[in-house]
Amino acid sequence: MASPGEEVTSDESGEESNTMNLMEFSDEILLHILRYTPVSDLVLNVRRVCRKLSVLSLDKSLTHAVTLHKDYQVDKDQVKQLMREIGKEIQELNMSGCYWLPGSTIDQVTRCRNLVKLNLSGCNLTSLRLSKMLSALQHLRSLAIDVNPGFDASHLSSECKATLSRVLELKQTLYTPSYGVVPCCTSLEKLLLYFEILDRSREGLIISGQLMVGESNVPHYQNLRVFYARLAPGPVNQEVVRLYLAVLSDRTPEKLHAFLISAPGGFPQSCAVKNLLDSMARNVTLDALQLPGSWMNGSSLLQHLKFSNPVYFSFSRCSLSGSQLVQRVLNGGKDLRSLVSLNLSGCVHCLSPDSTLRKAEDEIDSSIAETLVASCCHLRHLNLSCAHHHSSEDLGRHLCQLLAHLKCLLSLALPVCSIADVSPVPADKPSVQPATNATSPSFGKKVRIGVQTYPRNCLEQGNSRPQPSVFWTLLESLPFLQQLELIGSSFSSAMPRNEPAIRNSLPPCGRAQHVGDAEVAAIGQLAFLQSLTLAQLPNILTGSGLVHIGAQCQHLRTLSLANLGMMGKVMYMPALVDTLKHCRCLRDLRLEQPYFNANAQFFQALSHCSSLQRLCIISRSGSLQPDAVMAFMTACLEVIMCHMFTGESLTVCKTLQQSLIKSFQASRPALNVVIFPLLHEDLTEVIRDVPMMHLDEITLFKSRVAEEPPNLWG
């Protein structure tokens, strides 16, 4: 018999014989692994490891499509080297949001002469630079660009215009009143327009949306299949989009199958728009539709439009009643299994039979919700936020119980009041988990420093059900949900778009008081959750549910928290600190909370989020510790966006911002830092300099579920 020492040696040698070197895998497996590595890293680093990786890293399956979008560490020299080495192999290039790369680096795109698809949204681009670039890209069929002030179509060469005439897909973001390159794109099949024009110039001059007569040579879009327009707030954006629509009204494309216009607030119809909609009702069959609410309200348009296997509907902010939804959209409850995405955000009457007499506190008609679920059984994205959807006490007819039948859901947005249990709660069974020092949501209670304010055994409870809950049952039925939004029906962000940050916040819905830490803890069972938004949950007493989410949702990449618990005191800070220690994969964090103290304890916990790239803190009357911010930025090397809008003085904010830029700009080429008082009169001027990618994706609050059709722009 062998001695114990010999047995250990034998085991160790057996383990060594069973190990396998990565290079022993087949080429197919290695190529699959390498697909998860940024192409810039493959070409500039991985290929230098060994001869085998050198060959595989340049495989056409990896270099055919190159994405630099959100590759924040790549600098101008690396991009130039990348283009020199594999430029001829690239057919699809995505550089969207590479705002930190100078124009001279963008010029290197001319080396990619076989490009078919090019995305330069958010890049530094002039009309002269664009002309030179497109003149060399004769195979281009898909293009995304920004049109900035100073753009002049007369600078485009004949070779450039020839390339544009062959482009089939165009995405154009307008920062100035212009047709951009649209007049040159005579073969368009897909046109996406993003209107981001401000009403005033930097000098304070009022901007007019009227375009020059000589620029109005817009083609008649005879091949157009998809038309999409998204408007930022402001009358000038409405004025310019009407000029585009006027051309469509002259001759509506017969092949049009997706017509989508997203506009905030009121957007009155013009005669040309009315003619266009009437023509569409006669001549086209749609599979995707989105219109401003004011165009739908009181209109019989839905009765006349024809649909064939629809995939996307958005009736956001529309006064569509439940009866209209069933009869006109759901075809009386007929089969709509083709529908993938449905946006009913702000449709306050969509689950009630009538819209004339309904009050916010009235209960929904569960039969309408039942028809919706039965008709659209394959929905993947559903948005019911920004409305009061109150269920009755009828057994099995709660909205959460009905939505549980939508097994294919990947993203879901609900108002907080819609998930509340409506059955009477016995006195010995509170609606939330008992806390060690439970406090009233209205009045603060002093908290002892160093004492946890959430149950110490919250992690030991694991996935155990704290109490019967319709919301728990819903999430239990949707195990593959990736994106969840719970937003108070009367929530409005303190962060403005084009107006001062002075807003009167409305009180939360009364039913939201029944939603607390136990309901938040239920989210922890979503093992595949990637994005979570929680806004205006007044009955969050301790934040213990957040710890469940941090510990169990290991794929969480985006977290947005706003106005949790009492507004005068951040009671959930200890739980938040513990939550962040678990969020190893978190990329984006947005916190909006009055009186939030971004202190050393918070930033030390945040330093555990080793993958964090973007941080945004918005806090009226809030404070921050500059030394703690500097230490955090030193520890978290991936952070490239730091936005903080608090109650600190302008001097403190400017000093910290300059220190961050001076310390980290050289090593982080994409660094974007904005530290500014939230209530300062110049805030809107500061915001206009934020890269649109950051502003749209994280700094400004909005519901993002079913915001656009899936795969609108690949």
Side-chain angles (χ1 to χ4, degrees), residues 277-298:
L277 297 177
D278 290 342
S279 176
M280 286 173 52
R282 293 191 305 269
N283 302 317
V284 301
T285 301
L286 300 173
D287 60 30
L289 175 68
Q290 179 176 8
L291 295 176
S294 58
W295 296 10
M296 305 280 293
N297 297 339

Side-chain angles (χ1 to χ4, degrees), residues 290-293 314-318 343-347:
Q290 179 176 8
L291 295 176
S314 177
F315 303 107
S316 180
R317 304 291 176 183
C318 178
N343 190 344
L344 296 172
S345 172
C347 295

